[in-house]
Amino acid sequence: MKQPGTKHKKLTTEYSTVGSRVFDVINVAVLVGLALVTVLPLLYVLAGSFASEAEISARPFFLWPEKFVTDTYTFIFSTPTFVRALLTTIVVTAVGTVVQLVLTFTMAYPLAKRYLPGRTLVLNLVIFTLVFSGGMIPTYLVVRDLGLLDSYWALILPLAINPFYLIIVKSFFQELPQALEEAARIDGCNEMGVFFKIVLPLSKPIIATFSLFYAVSIWNDYMSPLLYISDPSKWTLQILVRQLTSADQADALANMDRTFVPPEQGLKFAVVVIATLPILFFYPFLQKHFTKGVLIGGVKE
């Protein structure tokens, strides 16, 4: 004998299956469309960087050049200005990421301790900075009065701690098992020993995640060098890219030693590719930690 409601359950299951399949098809179609919108311009820029000026002018859009031309890249890497800007950006990004990670983690760890005197006041001040900031002009005046103009430290110190990242890291530290820290203290570890020997080894996912966040932020930073760096010999890659892709291209090329005039559009495409590739290269190695690192520190206190 059939149980009451069996037919209704069967229809509901079939309806759910059909509905889920329709949703999957629509979801995949939307995601593929978004992927194409994102990837196709990048592929066009990459292909254009290897194409001749005539081909770029004749073909409004292509994903594969008719003839590969590497003269633009040869020109770029033979110019001291571009190589210097690239090395400057790499060094500033590496040093800045280390400084920002050290300051963020060393501030988040004590704030994760509920018994810390004044903890609430400091957290409220951190949250306050999420809503209000001093603004561009006051920040510039502070950097100027500290003597950091035309200094690479001006690209690192003003944004050394991101308050949003700090709160996430603090929440992550609060979720670590207290028993591990207590066991380490019983074994003779002081607070610094607990931090370096217990807490940091358990924080690899979130360290990898925020290393990527901070590195991308510094690498793509355009406003800081624009405001604080006036010496062309200290330009970062982003400023040089801006100069080469704007009406000031002639001024940027004037600082470059060249034996031929590179293709104008091809040069723009090439510098964009070079400015983008390092981040695209490192992201896959940190991707496995990305989601885990963000979500693991997103627990509400």
Side-chain angles (χ1 to χ4, degrees), residues 188-257:
C189 275
N190 54 20
E191 204 64 50
M192 295 298 292
V194 172
F195 178 68
F196 285 105
K197 297 180 180 179
I198 303 298
V199 174
L200 287 185
L202 295 174
S203 306
K204 290 180 180 179
I206 204 166
I207 290 175
T209 299
F210 288 104
S211 296
L212 179 63
F213 283 172
Y214 276 129
V216 171
S217 177
I218 298 173
W219 183 272
N220 291 331
D221 188 12
Y222 167 72
M223 288 303 300
S224 294
L226 180 65
L227 292 174
Y228 308 135
I229 304 297
S230 57
D231 185 357
S233 65
K234 295 182 179 180
W235 276 352
T236 61
L237 186 60
Q238 301 306 325
I239 293 295
L240 186 61
V241 169
R242 183 260 179 189
Q243 295 292 90
L244 291 173
T245 56
S246 68
D248 299 328
Q249 183 183 21
D251 296 335
L253 290 175
N255 296 319
M256 295 184 174
D257 296 331

Side-chain angles (χ1 to χ4, degrees), residues 118-225:
R119 171 179 178 270
T120 302
L121 174 61
V122 175
L123 284 177
N124 288 334
L125 293 175
V126 171
I127 295 173
F128 181 84
T129 62
L130 285 172
V131 184
F132 303 99
S133 64
M136 183 185 300
I137 295 177
T139 304
Y140 177 86
L141 295 177
V142 171
V143 172
R144 184 199 64 183
D145 293 342
L146 291 175
L148 297 179
L149 292 181
D150 267 341
S151 169
Y152 296 132
W153 288 111
L155 311 180
I156 299 173
L157 296 181
L159 302 175
I161 297 180
N162 185 303
F164 180 70
Y165 297 167
L166 176 68
I167 292 173
I168 294 179
V169 176
K170 176 196 72 70
S171 299
F172 169 78
F173 286 155
Q174 288 180 177
E175 297 303 315
L176 293 177
Q178 295 298 316
L180 294 176
E181 298 184 18
E182 294 172 0
R185 292 189 181 94
I186 293 175
D187 289 339
C189 275
N190 54 20
E191 204 64 50
M192 295 298 292
V194 172
F195 178 68
F196 285 105
K197 297 180 180 179
I198 303 298
V199 174
L200 287 185
L202 295 174
S203 306
K204 290 180 180 179
I206 204 166
I207 290 175
T209 299
F210 288 104
S211 296
L212 179 63
F213 283 172
Y214 276 129
V216 171
S217 177
I218 298 173
W219 183 272
N220 291 331
D221 188 12
Y222 167 72
M223 288 303 300
S224 294

Side-chain angles (χ1 to χ4, degrees), residues 61-124:
F61 181 81
F62 57 91
L63 299 179
W64 192 266
E66 295 177 352
K67 181 181 179 181
F68 277 84
V69 179
T70 60
D71 291 344
T72 302
Y73 287 98
T74 302
F75 165 76
I76 287 176
F77 287 105
S78 66
T79 56
T81 301
F82 188 90
V83 174
R84 182 171 59 245
L86 179 61
L87 293 177
T88 296
T89 306
I90 292 174
V91 173
V92 170
T93 300
V95 175
T97 301
V98 172
V99 170
Q100 291 178 343
L101 284 176
V102 170
L103 294 179
T104 299
F105 277 71
T106 53
M107 183 176 180
Y109 179 68
L111 291 178
K113 307 303 178 184
R114 300 181 187 276
Y115 54 80
L116 179 71
R119 171 179 178 270
T120 302
L121 174 61
V122 175
L123 284 177
N124 288 334

Side-chain angles (χ1 to χ4, degrees), residues 14-62:
E14 292 178 354
Y15 177 78
S16 300
T17 303
V18 173
S20 63
R21 290 177 180 175
V22 171
F23 173 77
D24 290 341
V25 171
I26 296 175
N27 194 26
V28 170
V30 171
L31 291 177
V32 169
L34 292 175
L36 291 176
V37 170
T38 303
V39 173
L40 287 180
L42 294 176
L43 295 178
Y44 170 65
V45 171
L46 179 61
S49 68
F50 287 101
S52 63
E53 189 73 11
E55 183 177 359
I56 296 174
S57 302
R59 303 173 64 188
F61 181 81
F62 57 91

